Amino acid sequence: MRSQIPRTEIVLSLRRGFRTQTDTAAKTLHAHLLRTHLLPHSDVHPKLLLLLRDPRDVSRWNSLLATLARHGFRSLVLRNFALVNRLGLPSDSYSFCTVLTVASSLKAAGLGLQIHACAFRSGWICSIFVCGALIDCYARSLAVRDASQLFDEMAVRNAVCVNSLLGGYVESRLWTEGLHLFRRMRELKLEPDGFTLSAILRICAEAPAVSLGLQVHAHLLRMISIINEDVFAVSSLLEMYGKCGLVDKARLVFELAGQAKRRDVVLWTSMLNAYGRNGQFAEVVETYEIMLTEGVKPDEIALLAVISACNHSGDVIKGLHYFELMYRVHNLVPGPEHYGCVVNMLCRVGNLKMAWKFANEMILETEGDGDSNMGVSAWGALLSACRDSGNVEIGNFAAKRALELDPNNSGVYVEWCNLCARVGLWNEIGELRQLMKAKGLRKDTGCSRGLFLSKDSDDYSSMLWNLC
């Protein structure tokens, strides 16, 4: 068991080393920290020795913080940064950027606020690098209001700050705010880069805003470096066309990328999803087979797309064949989504017996480690099949397992009630409704994608920026 060392003792030891600046003090503290496991990586040791020989050198503190961050010791980075401030040593932009990177990885908005206050007191809030790191921390923590406020307060902004805030808008699904920010880039005299355009293309796909997406495509064609090197920007473009139902344009982008020999598994998967999303399931299977012949190794997402296509087309034999090849040939581990897709596929064709057998095998395989590959979607599919066939025994089991994974899933309760109604179990329906009421659950109401736009919101067509 690791012993705990009081913070005051660490501070006193460091102060002793600062006063004497001798090798003896440094080695004594070094040995003490090794015994208490506060130096878990060998790369940290020389950094500490150098630091104690010249303790007022901020660059050496920065080197220690960067080494700890690079090796994943995030808590030690935060503790050492706090220690630097407690000892009254000055921090610089490098120190703040390092600790903010750690806060971003933790998605800790509260920690970001504390560092923000510290940067404000020290005057480093004027640094564009510190502000950019703060915006990124807030955005990753989904504190987009704080990120937006800081962005507006900045005297000088760059594309990195815009991209960080734009990423927060995308993750928070604030499409209108993201488009407004994109339009402001021209006012700020900032040029969008590959990350900016990828984020805007995702917004165009979700909003949807096809007209703006077409303009972004035209702008990409003029940015030769991005269209030739940034496969993620091209993939975002392909995804945008697929989600907007423009499969022919998605196919054209895909073929142009093939001529430049830049088609990796990301682009292939985007094309598979574009076909699948628009109901062209035969093309999904055909494209997948072409991908294999070109020597591209599929990943879990690509196989999920092809198994899902088999599910929707009712081709059970091919679906099971691809599922089997996933772990036998491609050495990939199926996840809950893959198992759920197979169960749903078997249930859709009315083969409840085989679906139940498949689910039982998955339960037995994962009984030892307690980690089941059968997710809520798989048990939900089994429950829906039981509702159609009136199989109460399996349906009750599936509903209970689904609620173990997601106790507040109102859809499972509703489907369970429908099963009971089919076979006339009215008392059980009353009990389930009372349970839903006690948990504050209600049946989800349907909504339209048109709800993204209200009477007071701007029409996306008015946001077009003449990129060409």
Side-chain angles (χ1 to χ4, degrees):
M1 184 175 178
R2 297 185 178 184
S3 58
Q4 296 295 321
I5 174 172
R7 292 182 180 179
T8 54
E9 189 174 343
I10 299 175
V11 175
L12 289 174
S13 300
L14 283 170
R15 283 178 176 168
R16 195 178 305 117
F18 292 166
R19 281 198 308 272
T20 60
Q21 295 189 15
T22 61
D23 289 346
T24 304
K27 288 178 180 177
T28 301
L29 179 58
H30 187 198
H32 189 52
L33 295 179
L34 282 172
R35 286 196 304 273
T36 53
H37 299 279
L38 289 175
L39 292 180
H41 201 281
S42 58
D43 286 358
V44 181
H45 304 173
K47 299 291 190 302
L48 179 66
L49 289 173
L50 287 171
L51 173 65
L52 291 178
R53 289 173 184 174
D54 189 5
R56 296 293 170 182
D57 189 348
V58 177
S59 65
R60 297 191 178 185
W61 278 104
N62 292 341
S63 179
L64 177 63
L65 292 173
T67 303
L68 291 169
R70 186 166 60 252
H71 292 291
F73 302 116
R74 299 181 293 191
S75 61
L76 286 179
V77 173
L78 299 174
R79 290 176 186 176
N80 277 279
F81 181 77
L83 183 60
V84 168
N85 284 276
R86 206 156 53 242
L87 293 170
L89 298 178
S91 297
D92 58 12
S93 63
Y94 194 94
S95 312
F96 282 111
C97 289
T98 301
V99 74
L100 282 167
T101 300
V102 171
S104 295
S105 65
L106 294 171
K107 298 183 178 180
L111 188 59
L113 284 169
Q114 294 181 50
I115 301 170
H116 189 170
C118 188
F120 184 83
R121 287 196 303 269
S122 63
W124 281 106
I125 197 65
C126 297
S127 168
I128 191 172
F129 303 108
V130 174
C131 282
L134 268 170
I135 291 172
D136 184 65
C137 177
Y138 286 140
R140 289 178 184 269
S141 308
L142 301 184
V144 289
R145 182 175 296 177
D146 294 318
S148 177
Q149 182 178 346
L150 179 59
F151 181 83
D152 291 336
E153 292 172 353
M154 292 176 65
V156 180
R157 308 172 185 89
N158 59 14
V160 176
C161 298
V162 173
N163 289 341
S164 297
L165 181 55
L166 189 58
Y169 283 143
V170 170
E171 290 302 316
S172 302
R173 303 182 68 84
L174 299 173
W175 314 130
T176 305
E177 289 82 351
L179 291 173
H180 276 302
L181 178 63
F182 182 55
R183 187 172 58 178
R184 281 184 65 189
M185 288 189 73
R186 191 176 186 184
E187 300 171 10
L188 299 171
K189 297 181 180 179
L190 296 174
E191 283 294 323
D193 56 16
F195 184 92
T196 314
L197 297 176
S198 296
I200 288 299
L201 284 169
R202 181 177 171 186
I203 293 177
C204 293
E206 299 291 344
V210 183
S211 300
L212 180 58
L214 289 168
Q215 288 202 33
V216 174
H217 187 180
H219 191 66
L220 273 171
L221 292 174
R222 286 159 175 77
M223 299 177 69
I224 303 299
S225 59
I226 294 180
I227 202 73
N228 286 338
E229 299 173 9
D230 195 337
V231 67
F232 294 103
V234 179
S235 176
S236 299
L237 179 62
L238 202 156
E239 288 274 356
M240 185 273 295
Y241 282 133
K243 287 187 176 181
C244 292
L246 303 175
V247 186
D248 292 338
K249 288 188 176 294
R251 181 73 190 183
L252 180 61
V253 172
F254 182 70
E255 289 176 350
L256 289 173
Q259 292 176 9
K261 297 182 179 179
R262 289 180 288 100
R263 292 196 303 206
D264 62 358
V265 66
V266 176
L267 277 180
W268 282 98
T269 304
S270 297
M271 194 65 238
L272 293 175
N273 286 329
Y275 279 135
R277 197 173 282 114
N278 290 277
Q280 300 182 22
F281 306 122
E283 285 79 359
V284 173
V285 176
E286 181 184 348
T287 304
Y288 176 75
E289 293 293 345
I290 296 173
M291 180 182 79
L292 296 180
T293 58
E294 291 195 9
V296 179
K297 181 178 170 60
D299 60 8
E300 294 86 352
I301 303 176
L303 277 157
L304 180 61
V306 73
I307 295 172
S308 179
C310 295
N311 172 21
H312 287 89
S313 63
D315 197 338
V316 179
I317 296 175
K318 273 190 177 180
L320 293 174
H321 171 69
Y322 289 126
F323 180 80
E324 186 178 3
L325 291 180
M326 182 175 183
Y327 56 88
R328 289 195 175 179
V329 176
H330 303 300
N331 296 319
L332 298 172
V333 179
E337 298 86 359
H338 302 90
Y339 287 102
C341 200
V342 171
V343 171
N344 193 23
M345 178 171 58
L346 294 171
C347 290
R348 285 170 73 109
V349 296
N351 199 335
L352 179 61
K353 184 177 179 181
M354 189 172 179
W356 173 240
K357 181 182 177 182
F358 181 83
N360 263 326
E361 289 175 357
M362 294 306 103
I363 294 170
L364 293 174
E365 281 184 14
T366 57
E367 209 168 34
D369 54 18
D371 182 22
S372 176
N373 282 315
M374 291 284 290
V376 177
S377 61
W379 291 117
L382 199 59
L383 176 59
S384 296
C386 292
R387 178 207 61 194
D388 296 335
S389 63
N391 193 317
V392 179
E393 183 180 359
I394 297 178
N396 286 342
F397 182 84
K400 289 175 183 177
R401 292 303 293 261
L403 291 174
E404 285 177 7
L405 298 172
D406 188 0
N408 295 321
N409 192 316
S410 60
V412 175
Y413 281 104
V414 172
E415 200 70 2
W416 200 356
C417 287
N418 292 337
L419 168 63
C420 294
R422 180 180 175 86
V423 295
L425 299 175
W426 307 113
N427 291 334
E428 285 76 359
I429 292 176
E431 292 174 2
L432 288 172
R433 287 179 176 171
Q434 286 296 325
L435 187 57
M436 288 180 68
K437 187 176 180 180
K439 289 190 173 186
L441 302 178
R442 293 187 303 174
K443 180 180 177 181
D444 293 333
T445 56
C447 63
S448 168
R449 294 187 72 183
L451 293 176
F452 284 121
L453 286 175
S454 64
K455 291 181 180 179
D456 298 326
S457 64
D458 293 333
D459 187 355
Y460 291 127
S461 61
S462 67
M463 296 184 179
L464 301 185
W465 179 19
N466 188 10
L467 297 172
C468 309

